[in-house]
Amino acid sequence: MTNEILILPGDGIGPEIMNEAIKIIDVCKKKGLEVILRYAKIGGDAIDTFGVPLPNETINMAKNARAILLGAVGGAKWDCLDIYNRPEKGLLKLRKSLNLFCNIRPIFLYKQLSEASSLKIEVISGLNIIIVRELIGGIYFGQPRGFNNYSGIRCGYNTCIYDETQIRNIGRVAFEIAINRKKRLCSIDKANVLETSMLWREVMCSLAYEYKDVELSHMYIDNAAMQLVREPKQFDVIVTDNMFGDIISDEAAMLTGSIGMLPSASLNNEGKGIFEPCHGSAPDIAGKNIANPLAMILSLAMMLRYSLFNTKLAERIENAVSNVLDWNLRTYDIAGDFKTRIISTKELGNMILEAF
Ligand code: IPM
Ligand code: MG
């Protein structure tokens, strides 16, 4: 298997936070990690150079790579483009072309950050949830889609569609994760209204027969959104579709103090994946050296664990993050109270190296 890692810094704060992750990779290489870094363009960065958000070269390099580390895509600069040529399309197309159906988002509260959350400490202390989001189906990709014009009145339409194989594939991953944790899985849907959700629920129930040790529950998305802020610790593993997963993962991220803390892995059946922070490109703070690089750095840890099977280095990175938080060093988004010192993106990256 190749040992190439494809680096896609992307847009906005993407390149800045990626620099900090690369510093860590360089140190890992000195400690014996055998990887070769390749670089390519995606999103607005690719549009500016090639006129398209996902050049063929990037797709080919991604197909050849063992894993992909991605910063962020998008920004106001490209919002004027039509929906088919926006930076986000590049990311969606890449997910689809690599068959990355499974998106794993760990919602984990570092105890040092419990004051940075907008929720009461007792509601969130010890929080540790995994969201398993289906990533290449549902309303994001369903056909037909488009715009129409009926006698001068414009309309836009999308199709939400899932077949049972897609649901079973993501369900199976979620059950496997649940069985190795607290053996509780909550499937989130809108089965009181949507046919796709009714099928979703049926398939999840049929899988439950194969995983008798796992306690499966179901929740409607509107209720789940409310329960996540009311009593988040009732959840352990959550499985849900593409659109609901997109929305509740941002909500859940905020429970941990800042969306700047949340990494993610998007995987296919062979364990190949894109590892990226859940936050976006944050164009308002891009280039200011103030963005939080921790979600990017924690995404690197996920890459080491899930694609390179190097648990040791992954744990070292996670421990380094925890140590730096112990030292009360923070970027402004997780600053919290007066005891902490606010430092820059680069300084935080350097501190992680020091703690490594
Ligand atoms: C995410 C992002 C993407 C998504 C965007 C950038 C297309 O919000 O990864 O959650 O909607 O999947
Ligand atoms: Mg999102």
Side-chain angles (χ1 to χ4, degrees):
M1 197 193 280
T2 165
N3 56 356
E4 285 181 17
I5 306 295
L6 182 63
I7 305 285
L8 301 173
D11 309 322
I13 60 170
E16 295 165 57
I17 56 174
M18 183 63 84
N19 280 341
E20 302 315 307
I22 291 172
K23 284 193 213 163
I24 299 175
I25 299 179
D26 288 340
V27 173
C28 290
K29 282 167 85 171
K30 291 198 185 109
K31 293 192 188 303
L33 179 72
E34 286 182 20
V35 291
I36 299 167
L37 301 190
R38 302 263 184 249
Y39 293 81
K41 289 180 181 292
I42 192 168
D45 185 29
I47 294 172
D48 288 348
T49 312
F50 302 107
V52 288
L54 186 67
N56 283 336
E57 190 186 83
T58 303
I59 302 186
N60 291 335
M61 286 172 82
K63 286 192 171 152
N64 287 328
R66 172 109 171 243
I68 298 139
L69 205 55
L70 186 142
V73 295
K77 183 178 171 195
W78 303 280
D79 281 352
C80 53
L81 297 174
D82 72 65
I83 188 173
Y84 308 105
N85 291 308
R86 291 235 185 122
E88 290 81 357
K89 267 285 174 239
L91 176 58
L92 296 173
K93 206 171 148 193
L94 188 59
R95 286 173 179 170
K96 189 79 170 176
S97 41
L98 298 175
N99 197 28
L100 307 179
F101 70 100
C102 171
N103 184 224
I104 299 177
R105 301 189 160 180
I107 312 293
F108 173 79
L109 179 76
Y110 281 89
K111 63 177 185 318
Q112 302 92 324
L113 292 184
S114 40
E115 279 170 34
S117 173
S118 48
L119 272 79
K120 291 188 197 126
I121 292 179
E122 61 268 27
V123 176
I124 47 155
S125 66
L127 186 74
N128 184 341
I129 301 173
I130 292 207
I131 297 180
V132 182
R133 168 188 175 196
E134 198 292 325
L135 201 59
I136 52 170
I139 199 162
Y140 269 54
F141 292 93
Q143 294 287 350
R145 64 189 297 159
F147 299 100
N148 239 324
N149 192 322
Y150 297 105
S151 341
I153 299 184
R154 291 177 303 142
C155 76
Y157 58 95
N158 292 89
T159 303
C160 184
I161 179 164
Y162 271 110
D163 68 43
E164 50 185 331
T165 313
Q166 288 173 302
I167 303 171
R168 202 168 293 119
N169 287 345
I170 193 70
R172 209 173 275 292
V173 176
F175 273 100
E176 291 290 338
I177 292 176
I179 216 166
N180 289 306
R181 289 175 47 110
K182 291 187 181 158
K183 302 186 171 33
R184 281 193 288 119
L185 175 63
C186 181
S187 169
I188 294 177
D189 62 35
K190 189 71 187 170
N192 51 345
V193 176
L194 302 175
E195 282 81 352
T196 40
S197 280
M198 289 169 198
L199 183 67
W200 182 279
R201 204 173 263 224
E202 248 179 56
V203 174
M204 289 298 159
C205 287
S206 69
L207 274 174
Y209 286 107
E210 290 178 41
Y211 294 90
K212 290 216 161 57
D213 292 341
V214 176
E215 181 197 320
L216 172 69
S217 61
H218 307 273
M219 206 179 269
Y220 297 139
I221 178 65
D222 47 351
N223 184 24
M226 186 263 281
Q227 295 296 340
L228 259 177
V229 285
R230 195 185 76 88
E231 199 195 330
K233 283 185 273 180
Q234 69 185 283
F235 297 103
D236 188 53
V237 182
I238 287 174
V239 63
T240 191
D241 80 4
N242 204 346
M243 174 81 130
F244 299 151
D246 180 46
I247 297 168
I248 59 153
S249 59
D250 272 25
E251 185 192 6
M254 217 40 220
L255 304 174
T256 69
S258 166
I259 192 164
M261 294 301 298
L262 189 61
S264 83
S266 308
L267 302 167
N268 67 15
N269 266 331
E270 289 116 48
K272 170 138 150 186
I274 298 182
F275 300 84
E276 57 175 318
C278 291
H279 60 68
S281 59
D284 51 324
I285 58 164
K288 295 187 179 162
N289 193 24
I290 58 173
N292 183 349
L294 293 181
M296 185 76 249
I297 289 170
L298 291 167
S299 299
L300 167 62
M302 287 190 92
M303 182 182 92
L304 287 162
R305 181 171 277 124
Y306 287 98
S307 271
L308 305 180
F309 309 112
N310 196 327
T311 316
K312 224 164 113 192
L313 282 177
E315 276 171 4
R316 282 185 73 155
I317 293 175
E318 287 154 0
N319 290 338
V321 169
S322 186
N323 286 340
V324 170
L325 295 175
D326 277 340
W327 299 340
N328 287 326
L329 300 172
R330 316 274 156 91
T331 42
Y332 81 100
D333 57 311
I334 47 173
D337 64 18
F338 62 92
K339 282 186 293 216
T340 61
R341 187 155 75 81
I342 298 182
I343 59 175
S344 69
T345 311
K346 284 196 181 121
E347 286 169 321
L348 190 52
N350 291 341
M351 284 299 143
I352 300 287
L353 285 183
E354 202 153 318
F356 189 68

